[in-house]
Amino acid sequence: MAKKTTMQTVQGDTQSRHVLGLSGGKDSAALAIYIKSRYPDIHQRVEYFFSDTGAELKEVYDFLDKLEAYLGKEIARLSSGKPFEHWLKVQNQYLPSAKQRWCTRVMKIKPFEEFIGDDPVITYIGIRADENREGYISHKATIKAVFPFIYDGLVRDDIFNILEDSVGIPEYYKWRSRSGCYFCFFQRQDEWLGLKRNHPELFEKAKAFEQQVRKKYDWKDGEVDAGGHGYTWSSQGTVDELVAKAEKREKERGIVASTETLPERWQDILRVAEDDDPEDQACLICSL
């Protein structure tokens, strides 16, 4: 497992590569901004990167462009080289799930480990002092993990202050609690509803994935139906069923999910909202 180290130690390490993975989410972005402000010598050495599945929301790409301009450094875009549809076919149309996160392994972690190779690396991870999770840490012996927010005692409120004083909070947080792919299987019912309202074309694509028929190869007849589908994104039902439940709950509570009807700014509501349960986080390397 990667070794944990301190900020004091890494400041003097000029032999290792320094890398910081950006998810398009609030914590990793705040960490990059914090590093630039608090540790400018480290900022000069850090290689910022983003593991791009090609299935991110447009708001994520827009936010990364804004962050790149603020940092004054390029954010390397890593890729598996193939779209999600290719890897889904390799997996015989089985959709990824919380128990089978093949998308994280193939489209996020593998490109990252190819990016760093066998070089000695210090990786900066955006987990806060008030969180109870570890995130993705490589098992390579050549990698040291450092947690600046934990080391310096920064908590959730600090992250919002950092963002609001610089690049702002990513726009998708108006209706979504996580970074990651538009079809992320960790999305709550109201987030699927948010996807349908804000990106109806992506919602339809996510629904179409659930309806794909699985295939198998028969030596006599070639590719034939295997029977059944690749299951649903959620164990609670199809995306249509999830949205219907969210709409019903919304009507029962008398809530209209639009920024115009909210009594506070969506940024303020997000600031006081609870984090997802550690077991219900987006893929480990995505959510940092």
Side-chain angles (χ1 to χ4, degrees):
M1 182 180 234
K3 299 177 182 178
K4 294 182 181 180
T5 190
T6 68
M7 293 301 292
Q8 290 176 324
T9 301
V10 300
Q11 280 184 293
D13 188 338
T14 59
Q15 304 302 312
S16 300
R17 289 174 62 187
H18 296 246
V19 304
L20 194 162
L22 296 159
S23 68
K26 63 185 189 312
D27 291 344
S28 61
L31 178 59
I33 294 165
Y34 181 71
I35 292 289
K36 178 182 180 181
S37 172
R38 179 71 174 80
Y39 301 100
D41 54 330
I42 292 178
H43 169 69
Q44 293 302 319
R45 299 200 294 266
V46 168
E47 300 172 58
Y48 297 101
F49 72 90
F50 170 66
S51 293
D52 189 358
T53 65
E56 318 290 334
L57 296 171
K58 180 182 182 297
E59 295 96 321
V60 170
Y61 297 117
D62 291 343
F63 182 69
L64 287 171
D65 289 342
K66 184 187 296 186
L67 182 60
E68 190 171 55
Y70 185 89
L71 294 173
K73 296 187 72 172
E74 178 186 7
I75 298 173
R77 267 63 165 184
L78 311 185
S79 170
S80 67
K82 300 286 186 181
F84 174 77
E85 288 83 352
H86 166 83
W87 298 115
L88 181 61
K89 188 173 182 179
V90 170
Q91 298 293 326
N92 198 19
Q93 306 300 331
Y94 277 113
L95 296 176
S97 66
K99 293 183 178 180
Q100 295 293 331
R101 304 184 194 185
W102 58 258
C103 51
T104 307
R105 182 182 69 254
V106 172
M107 304 186 76
K108 292 278 187 178
I109 295 176
K110 188 175 179 181
F112 166 65
E113 297 195 333
E114 289 176 351
F115 172 63
I116 61 173
D118 294 322
D119 296 334
V121 166
I122 294 168
T123 178
Y124 296 84
I125 299 176
I127 293 178
R128 308 185 309 266
D130 59 347
E131 286 189 278
N132 182 29
R133 65 184 179 109
E134 192 169 75
Y136 166 73
I137 302 176
S138 175
H139 290 261
K140 284 192 170 187
T142 53
I143 297 179
K144 296 176 183 177
V146 62
F147 301 80
F149 288 157
I150 294 176
Y151 184 74
D152 290 342
L154 273 70
V155 296
R156 182 183 177 90
D157 210 44
D158 296 313
I159 273 59
F160 283 93
N161 289 335
I162 290 170
L163 291 174
E164 293 205 307
D165 289 343
S166 54
V167 297
I169 300 169
E171 287 292 311
Y172 65 78
Y173 279 116
K174 288 181 180 179
W175 54 275
R176 205 171 191 240
S177 68
R178 69 195 76 239
S179 58
C181 300
Y182 68 86
F183 48 65
C184 180
F185 40 79
F186 281 123
Q187 289 183 103
R188 300 189 302 259
Q189 292 174 7
D190 60 325
E191 292 177 290
W192 281 108
L193 176 57
L195 179 67
K196 183 176 182 179
R197 287 174 173 170
N198 289 276
H199 295 283
E201 75 291 350
L202 295 181
F203 179 81
E204 290 302 319
K205 285 184 68 175
K207 186 165 71 171
F209 282 129
E210 291 185 331
Q211 298 168 347
Q212 291 192 67
V213 177
R214 294 177 52 239
K215 301 287 186 178
K216 67 179 181 181
Y217 187 82
D218 182 88
W219 287 106
K220 179 181 178 182
D221 300 319
E223 193 175 68
V224 297
D225 288 353
H229 297 268
Y231 304 124
T232 58
W233 291 111
S234 170
S235 60
Q236 299 176 356
T238 67
V239 292
D240 275 336
E241 291 170 338
L242 299 180
V243 164
K245 291 176 184 177
E247 290 175 329
K248 179 181 178 183
R249 186 166 59 250
E250 189 178 75
K251 288 181 180 179
E252 289 172 349
R253 294 178 179 175
I255 296 173
V256 178
S258 70
T259 55
E260 287 76 20
T261 60
L262 294 174
E264 306 173 77
R265 297 187 315 147
W266 63 268
Q267 294 94 332
D268 296 329
I269 294 173
L270 178 65
R271 184 189 283 258
V272 299
E274 292 185 5
D275 283 326
D276 293 320
D277 186 276
E279 295 302 315
D280 187 30
Q281 293 280 358
C283 57
L284 301 180
I285 200 169
C286 300
S287 58
L288 299 180

